Amino acid sequence: MDKIKLVTLITVLAMASSGLVSCGPGNGKDSSQAEKKDTSSAAESTADSDAQPAGDTTLLSNEELARSGEVRDISAMELVAEMKTGWNLGNSLDATGAAGNASEVNWGNPKTTKEMIDAVYNKGFDVIRIPVTWGGHVGDGPDYKIDEDWLARVQEVVNYAYDDGAYVIINSHHEEDWRIPDNEHIDAVDEKTAAIWKQVAERFKDYGDHLIFEGLNEPRVKGSPEEWNGGTEEGRRCVERLNQTFLDTVRATGGNNEKRLLLMTTYASSCGLNVIQDTAIPEDDHIGFSIHAYTPYAFTYNANADWELFEWDNSRDGELITLMSNLKENYLDKDIPVIITEYGAVCKNNNDEERAKWVSAYIEYAEMLGGIPCVWWDNGYYSSGNELFGIFDRNTCTWFTDTVTDAIIANAK
């Protein structure tokens, strides 16, 4: 680390300990998701309205899909310490708006292939997060049976990464239309959450500890005034209840799921200190927390505001230091590992060199202040589409930007 960064680190840590620095872009909003757009509606507009089936629809049998492995007798902290850096298969299995398995390609990305996942893993990404939207593929309650073809397709993609030796994270993604964390809806939401995770846990029960379950993705009351600003106390209590339901449901399926790493989260997966400190940590030896942190928002998003940043000169390193320090103090120091399951910065006017500087600092502080693995949000869009987070071209299995990608790999330890 150069002298400038060292001085910055010492100065900001001293300020943070006095409560003078807060997590955020400096505009009073939570830097994790402030005014984040709904990617689903915008992404659908980029896709063909007459969605085509996702390529070859031949499905493997349950026997062909089945995998097994060992869940080692190590702590959650030890397991996460083995991870280096990650990549999200965004806007694919989490896409919506088309019937059945055709939803995978409905937001403009091609059907996922083993060649794609192999290319990502071989580049150096050893954590591959597979966002999945389950809600559009389930029957009516109380069983909420997941469509067998959809479950098989998800398992097929999981196997691509699992067979490579990657750490694979399965989650429950764009469920906001039904997963509403307020007192009016929570009983029904809790029932459906349990039903879905019971089926997923049973399906992947024999997989080893390289498979991780993430119960909730950005749980929030969509469209509410507090959506991206920590929610209400009612909302935070409802998210805690869903965390516990997810935990209890998976553990009850037995087998390897008794010790599998399960990721809890905060309201909207926020990194805001007010939310982190007001979210209960369940009692369990094999849990961690999933946090999203697009920090600082002024640089990472196309905010169309006068405070937006296009260049990274390390003058805002303090926000990264505060973010990682808060995660360390509230989780890692309590032996609860953290994975930042979404981070990234959109491409603005071909500013790859600036993004490379930012991601180098981001990962350096994540490693130095806690050994926190970070998983880049890649939605497949680089030069056109909504929110240009793409770094990997899934059509050619090449990288849109070696500048950014190489910076990620070079700084991940």
Side-chain angles (χ1 to χ4, degrees):
M1 175 181 296
D2 59 40
K3 292 182 179 179
I4 295 176
K5 285 188 177 180
L6 181 58
V7 171
T8 302
L9 172 61
I10 295 171
T11 302
V12 176
L13 283 176
M15 294 173 67
S17 66
S18 301
L20 298 177
V21 181
S22 61
C23 176
N27 64 340
K29 295 184 175 67
D30 175 4
S31 67
S32 64
Q33 301 288 349
E35 296 183 347
K36 183 179 177 184
K37 299 175 183 176
D38 179 3
T39 59
S40 59
S41 59
E44 284 179 25
S45 68
T46 69
D48 186 347
S49 59
D50 298 318
Q52 298 299 311
D56 180 9
T57 57
T58 302
L59 296 172
L60 299 174
S61 68
N62 287 353
E63 291 74 20
E64 292 173 306
L65 289 169
R67 298 290 188 273
S68 62
E70 177 188 7
V71 172
R72 292 163 290 168
D73 187 21
I74 61 176
S75 70
M77 289 286 287
E78 290 172 315
L79 182 68
V80 173
E82 296 177 353
M83 304 174 191
K84 294 181 180 178
T85 192
W87 177 86
N88 271 277
L89 179 69
N91 287 22
S92 285
L93 295 178
D94 56 317
T96 61
N101 287 16
S103 64
E104 180 181 352
V105 299
N106 198 44
W107 287 1
N109 284 312
K111 182 181 178 182
T112 307
T113 65
K114 188 172 187 338
E115 182 184 11
M116 294 178 197
I117 301 302
D118 288 350
V120 172
Y121 179 75
N122 291 333
K123 183 68 174 179
F125 292 93
D126 64 334
V127 181
I128 296 179
R129 182 174 182 250
I130 301 176
V132 181
T133 298
W134 302 99
H137 302 273
V138 302
D140 295 333
D143 294 335
Y144 299 105
K145 181 173 174 54
I146 301 172
D147 178 73
E148 177 60 31
D149 285 353
W150 182 246
L151 193 52
R153 176 58 183 154
V154 171
Q155 188 172 10
E156 182 177 29
V157 175
V158 168
N159 287 349
Y160 296 158
Y162 185 81
D163 290 347
D164 279 339
Y167 292 91
V168 189
I169 301 173
I170 304 175
N171 82 351
S172 178
H173 214 74
H174 297 295
E175 316 283 12
E176 296 81 23
D177 289 341
W178 65 266
R179 191 176 60 204
I180 304 171
D182 63 18
N183 290 342
E184 179 183 354
H185 299 90
I186 191 61
D187 288 341
V189 170
D190 202 49
E191 178 183 61
K192 190 170 182 178
T193 298
I196 290 173
W197 273 111
K198 180 178 180 181
Q199 295 172 78
V200 175
E202 288 284 1
R203 183 72 169 223
F204 292 95
K205 184 177 184 176
D206 295 330
Y207 284 62
D209 56 21
H210 274 230
L211 182 65
I212 299 157
F213 297 156
E214 179 186 358
L216 309 169
N217 178 82
E218 297 178 358
R220 64 196 192 277
V221 179
K222 191 175 178 180
S224 68
E226 306 86 3
E227 181 176 7
W228 299 117
N229 291 294
T232 62
E233 182 177 355
E234 175 184 323
R236 293 190 292 275
R237 298 294 81 76
C238 287
V239 168
E240 289 176 351
R241 174 174 168 179
L242 295 175
N243 277 336
Q244 191 66 51
T245 294
F246 160 64
L247 173 62
D248 293 343
T249 300
V250 174
R251 293 287 183 246
T253 61
N256 283 350
N257 288 335
E258 291 181 359
K259 295 183 179 180
R260 186 176 309 287
L261 177 61
L262 304 181
L263 299 180
M264 311 295 115
T265 198
T266 59
Y267 189 97
S269 301
S270 172
C271 70
L273 186 58
N274 61 322
V275 189
I276 290 172
Q277 292 182 333
D278 192 33
T279 302
I281 299 174
E283 292 290 335
D284 190 274
D285 291 335
H286 299 281
I287 64 168
F289 263 75
S290 164
I291 297 294
H292 294 178
Y294 296 89
T295 304
Y297 181 80
F299 180 81
T300 61
Y301 269 87
N302 216 333
N304 296 317
D306 57 8
W307 43 261
E308 184 173 359
L309 298 176
F310 294 84
E311 298 179 353
W312 190 259
D313 61 3
N314 296 113
S315 64
R316 302 284 287 269
D317 276 20
E319 293 174 49
L320 303 181
I321 295 168
T322 299
L323 163 66
M324 303 307 172
S325 298
N326 287 341
L327 296 178
K328 179 180 184 299
E329 179 180 351
N330 288 277
Y331 294 120
L332 283 86
D333 288 350
K334 300 174 183 177
D335 291 329
I336 304 294
V338 172
I339 301 176
I340 296 179
T341 55
E342 285 188 25
Y343 82 115
V346 297
C347 181
K348 302 180 186 181
N349 302 330
N350 298 313
N351 67 334
D352 285 350
E353 292 288 346
E354 301 304 315
R355 291 200 294 162
K357 295 176 189 175
W358 169 81
V359 80
S360 296
Y362 193 106
I363 295 175
E364 182 176 9
Y365 291 125
E367 171 65 24
M368 179 175 56
L369 294 170
I372 301 171
C374 303
V375 188
W376 183 277
W377 175 253
D378 189 330
N379 56 11
Y381 310 145
Y382 177 70
S383 57
S384 64
N386 184 54
E387 300 184 351
L388 305 181
F389 283 103
I391 57 174
F392 180 67
D393 186 343
R394 302 178 201 179
N395 290 291
T396 63
C397 287
T398 58
W399 299 91
F400 287 125
T401 166
D402 287 324
T403 303
V404 175
T405 307
D406 289 348
I408 295 171
I409 300 302
N411 285 279
K413 301 296 190 293

